[in-house]
């Protein structure tokens, strides 16, 4: 089934790009296409200027792509074992160095390193899912709805980390349904609807765009 139609998206080093759009818009499909989990029927994926269309997920990971999936998908293993699953040898840093970086970013994970991931709270599981993606030392990190179902204070902590990662030079594609949050952290925003790009632009410009309201609150303008 064709889900995405003619979408073109670009991310520069250290940039936070947000993809927003209602349920079923195609946001997850787009991320899965970038990371090689879905193969596009047309179009191309280029990473650092190289055509990587059709590459397998493990090949994309080796090139420096990290994917933190929708729903976290942590494994029923200990916290540290989950980090082991994300480690990709040969990307420059050792397992121990990357693990310590993750525990510095998320101290609670270090405290719970021997605990089963299934016993963590939702927010801690989200941190673990991000940490696992960081174990591949990514240059581009895909985050699929990291705020979903979490308390505002935890969301705030996670978004602080997102900004910190971007400042350190990691490029980020963030899928979000939380519009306010998206506009706070993004450099650039793409709005999807029905698998197509409705509008895109710098976050400040998009925040004032009436089309955003039309996508999210369409009934407000409809005749009663
Ligand atoms: N494997 C699949 N097979 C068939 N249809 C699919 C598949 N995956 C997604 N779809 C369909 O593609 C469309 C886009 O789905 P997708 O999960 O990408 O949306 P989304 O924007 O991530 O939504 P949400 O906000 O609910 O996560 C939906 O209509 C969905 O039903
Ligand atoms: Mg989705």
């Amino acid at each position: 089934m064709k889900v995405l139609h003619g979408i073109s998206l670009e991310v520069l080093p250290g940039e936070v790009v947000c993809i927003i759009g209602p349920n079923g818009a195609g946001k997850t499909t787009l991320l899965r296409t970038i990371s090689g989990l879905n193969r596009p029927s047309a179009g191309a994926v280029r990473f650092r200027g190289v055509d990587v269309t059709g590459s397998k997920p493990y090949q994309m990971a080796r090139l420096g792509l990290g994917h933190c999936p929708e729903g976290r998908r942590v494994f029923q293993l200990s916290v540290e074992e989950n980090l082991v699953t994300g480690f990709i040898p040969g990307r420059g840093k050792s397992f121990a160095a990357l693990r310590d970086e993750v525990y510095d970013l998320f101290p609670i994970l270090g405290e719970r390193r021997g605990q089963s991931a299934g016993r963590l709270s939702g927010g801690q599981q989200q941190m673990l899912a991000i940490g696992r993606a960081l174990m591949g030392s990514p240059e581009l990190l895909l985050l699929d709805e990291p705020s979903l179902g979490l308390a505002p204070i935890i969301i705030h902590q996670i978004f602080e980390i997102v900004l910190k990662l971007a400042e350190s030079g990691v490029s980020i594609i963030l899928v979000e349904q939380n519009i306010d949050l998206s506009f706070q952290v993004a450099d650039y925003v793409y709005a999807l609807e029905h698998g197509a790009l409705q509008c895109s632009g710098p976050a400040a410009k998009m925040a004032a765009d009436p089309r955003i309201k039309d996508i999210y609150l369409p009934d407000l303008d409809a005749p009663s």
Side-chain angles (χ1 to χ4, degrees), residues 16-34:
V16 180
V17 163
C18 263
I19 300 170
I20 60 172
N23 290 119
K27 306 180 296 297
T28 296
T29 304
L30 179 58
L31 291 194
R32 289 175 57 88
T33 304
I34 295 169

Side-chain angles (χ1 to χ4, degrees), residues 1 3-4 21-30 38 70 144-145 175 177 192:
M1 189 179 103
V3 173
L4 304 175
N23 290 119
K27 306 180 296 297
T28 296
T29 304
L30 179 58
N38 294 341
E70 184 171 57
D144 199 341
E145 300 208 43
V175 161
Q177 290 208 40
L192 295 190

Side-chain angles (χ1 to χ4, degrees), residues 100-147:
D100 292 348
E101 279 179 22
V102 170
Y103 290 158
D104 281 345
L105 279 178
F106 302 111
I108 190 74
L109 296 182
E111 288 166 27
R112 310 222 159 154
R113 63 177 71 191
Q115 230 180 65
S116 168
R119 294 176 63 87
L120 300 178
S121 70
Q124 291 161 1
Q125 288 189 6
Q126 185 61 60
M127 292 173 192
L128 181 56
I130 295 173
R132 182 180 57 189
L134 292 176
M135 292 301 293
S137 201
E139 285 177 46
L140 173 62
L141 179 61
L142 312 182
L143 294 170
D144 199 341
E145 300 208 43
S147 73

